[in-house]
Amino acid sequence: MDRACEVAAYPTDRETAKRIRALEEFVGELTILLDDACRRLDRRDRIDPLSGLANRRAVMELLDEAWEEDRTGETPLSVLLVDVDGLSNVNDAFGPPAGDRALERVARVMAATLRTDDRAGRLIGDEFLVILPGTPLDGALRTAEKIRAAVTEEFVAFDGGFWQASVSIGVAERAPGLDSPQSLVEIASRGLFTAKTEGRGRSAAAQAPGA
């Protein structure tokens, strides 16, 4: 074979380098697309589609993180357990889609009321958990009342009627003797029970035994 033809049959070093650069660029673009898709899937897996807030798993993970940031308990940490009043009546009278609208409205108002560092998520059904890092009990009670008052101003219209939004809120602060984030939520649930039994549409604090 002619020497010139033999050389032409193989790419030059410059052509090889060009092909490698093009391949590297393609792989880089593909990696970016894959990373973006993974982030979208992760976000979808952590967001409650109805309320737009964190779902149960995600908000409990956020509480775990807040708890672990200061295991000494020297930095205040409070939570709110928020229950939408009368949601079952809305579902019965106007249908589940109306109940979904009511939940969505409450979630939106609640999120707009919170500080940047606060976190909120839907636990289950008509219950939401709000995490208040660096907030003692008195500050948490003020936040609860702020949420309650803002929600009460909302009227949700349905075909054939309307619903004046209302929430009951249990409030609790981490205290010595509480050994887990779940125990803090349990204390807040006692406050919520008190708020419900005292007439709903109010907030109430509960404390750990001996606090």
Side-chain angles (χ1 to χ4, degrees), residues 69-191:
E69 283 180 2
D70 182 12
R71 292 190 62 84
T72 65
E74 295 179 359
T75 302
L77 172 65
S78 295
V79 298
L80 311 178
L81 198 57
V82 183
D83 184 89
V84 182
D85 296 325
L87 188 66
S88 59
N89 294 333
V90 173
N91 287 328
D92 292 342
F94 305 105
D100 290 348
R101 285 179 57 196
L103 273 177
E104 183 182 9
R105 180 74 65 86
V106 170
R108 185 165 65 247
V109 172
M110 183 170 57
T113 307
L114 298 175
R115 305 170 304 178
T116 304
D117 293 338
D118 300 334
R119 297 290 181 265
R122 185 182 178 198
L123 280 182
I124 186 171
D126 55 1
E127 284 191 357
F128 298 91
L129 178 67
V130 178
I131 305 167
L132 305 174
T135 305
L137 187 62
D138 57 348
L141 278 166
R142 287 194 296 271
T143 300
E145 279 300 297
K146 187 176 179 182
I147 291 173
R148 188 197 60 76
V151 169
T152 303
E153 294 179 358
E154 295 294 315
F155 287 82
V156 185
F158 312 116
D159 291 338
F162 69 90
W163 172 70
Q164 181 178 5
S166 173
V167 292
S168 298
I169 306 176
V171 187
E173 179 188 7
R174 177 168 59 181
L178 295 182
D179 57 2
S180 69
Q182 290 74 20
S183 62
L184 180 57
V185 175
E186 290 172 5
I187 299 299
S189 69
R190 298 179 192 174

Side-chain angles (χ1 to χ4, degrees), residues 14-32:
R14 181 177 299 177
E15 291 172 337
T16 300
K18 185 177 180 180
R19 292 177 182 177
I20 291 175
R21 283 195 300 271
L23 182 60
E24 289 175 343
E25 290 176 0
F26 172 75
V27 171
E29 293 173 356
L30 184 60
T31 300
I32 292 173

